[in-house]
Amino acid sequence: MKIFHFVLPCIMALLSTCSLAGSGFLIDNQQVSQVYICTQNKSQFKENISIKVKTGDEEIRIVPTVNYGYEPSVFLGDFIGNGLNQIFYWVNSGGSGAYSSSQVISLQNGKQITIYDSENFKNTAKAELRDNLVQIKYLNNNYYLDASFADLSENKNVYISDVNTVMPVYNGGLGKYQIMQFQKVYIDYTANNIGYLTSIIDLTLDGWNIVSVGTLSNFGY
């Protein structure tokens, strides 16, 4: 049994396929690290996703919180303003909802710290329909979305999803990246999507903080 437990991880490692995703100064500003996305299958739906960071002869393996899905990718950028790169990881769930999961990971001095994880986000936003306008209450403020183009034939219950997707955005004033987080706003059923609640989030080694909130309509005019 001991031999089996030793051999199985070795076999799985041999079956893993890794592709270079980028390079940068992740550990310190003296050594360049190469970052790879590794999976154990070649279909569009990826399983057992891991991130390999190779710096000289040293290697760090990171297993994301959500290590399965479509189109896993990483983006390297300075999210905390320390002159180093952090890892922004993204993977798509697929399906009609097309939700994604994201993490931002710091490897400063070789110490792995997850400074943002969309899976840990606690949704506290509430919304209700008032005539043809959706009012969203979030962080002691009110935000609005036009619902006049939506299907209002059913119960007219308004829902705000957990994190739908996340993307990096560069703040030139701060000289670093922040992240923009999207939460889907829909009435009665997910396809009846009227827009998104958006949040700009600032990151530090100690965690993250929402610095700006807004809405994005799903209807063109």
Side-chain angles (χ1 to χ4, degrees), residues 127-136 143-159 185-189 191-196 215-221:
E128 62 179 349
L129 184 65
R130 294 189 171 186
D131 295 325
N132 290 326
L133 200 65
V134 165
Q135 181 184 52
I136 302 168
Y143 305 91
Y144 298 91
L145 278 169
D146 182 10
S148 60
F149 291 87
D151 176 9
L152 302 179
S153 63
E154 298 187 17
N155 297 322
K156 301 180 182 179
N157 293 321
V158 185
Y159 301 94
V185 182
Y186 58 95
I187 301 174
D188 292 328
Y189 54 95
N192 198 23
N193 176 20
I194 65 166
Y196 297 87
T215 57
L216 179 65
S217 175
N218 199 40
F219 301 104
Y221 297 93

Side-chain angles (χ1 to χ4, degrees), residues 41-47 49 68-72 91-92:
N41 62 326
K42 295 182 180 181
S43 66
Q44 289 186 339
F45 184 81
K46 306 300 183 183
E47 297 178 286
I49 300 167
Y68 53 86
Y70 294 88
E71 301 176 335
V91 66
N92 190 350

Side-chain angles (χ1 to χ4, degrees), residues 161-172:
S161 74
D162 292 331
V163 178
N164 182 258
T165 194
V166 180
M167 63 177 61
V169 291
Y170 187 72
N171 187 317

Side-chain angles (χ1 to χ4, degrees), residues 33-186:
S33 301
Q34 282 76 43
V35 181
Y36 299 82
I37 288 283
C38 302
T39 65
Q40 292 177 352
N41 62 326
K42 295 182 180 181
S43 66
Q44 289 186 339
F45 184 81
K46 306 300 183 183
E47 297 178 286
N48 299 310
I49 300 167
S50 65
I51 302 168
K52 180 174 75 172
V53 180
K54 187 171 178 58
T55 310
D57 295 330
E58 302 293 326
E59 184 177 302
I60 298 173
R61 281 273 184 168
I62 301 168
V63 178
T65 303
V66 177
N67 66 337
Y68 53 86
Y70 294 88
E71 301 176 335
S73 63
V74 299
F75 170 82
L76 304 180
D78 184 357
F79 287 85
I80 60 178
N82 66 349
L84 299 178
N85 293 145
Q86 289 78 50
I87 299 170
F88 175 90
Y89 165 79
W90 182 94
V91 66
N92 190 350
S93 68
S96 58
Y99 285 81
S100 65
S101 298
S102 302
Q103 285 180 257
V104 180
I105 301 165
S106 168
L107 293 178
Q108 182 176 340
N109 299 321
K111 183 179 181 181
Q112 180 181 332
I113 300 174
T114 298
I115 54 180
Y116 171 85
D117 190 336
S118 62
E119 296 298 299
N120 294 333
F121 178 76
K122 305 300 181 184
N123 180 23
T124 60
K126 305 294 182 182
E128 62 179 349
L129 184 65
R130 294 189 171 186
D131 295 325
N132 290 326
L133 200 65
V134 165
Q135 181 184 52
I136 302 168
K137 296 182 179 180
Y138 187 49
L139 301 179
N140 299 317
N141 288 304
N142 293 325
Y143 305 91
Y144 298 91
L145 278 169
D146 182 10
S148 60
F149 291 87
D151 176 9
L152 302 179
S153 63
E154 298 187 17
N155 297 322
K156 301 180 182 179
N157 293 321
V158 185
Y159 301 94
I160 300 178
S161 74
D162 292 331
V163 178
N164 182 258
T165 194
V166 180
M167 63 177 61
V169 291
Y170 187 72
N171 187 317
L174 296 178
K176 67 172 189 174
Y177 286 91
Q178 295 174 314
I179 57 175
M180 177 176 279
Q181 177 179 273
F182 295 79
Q183 294 171 256
K184 184 180 290 188
V185 182
Y186 58 95

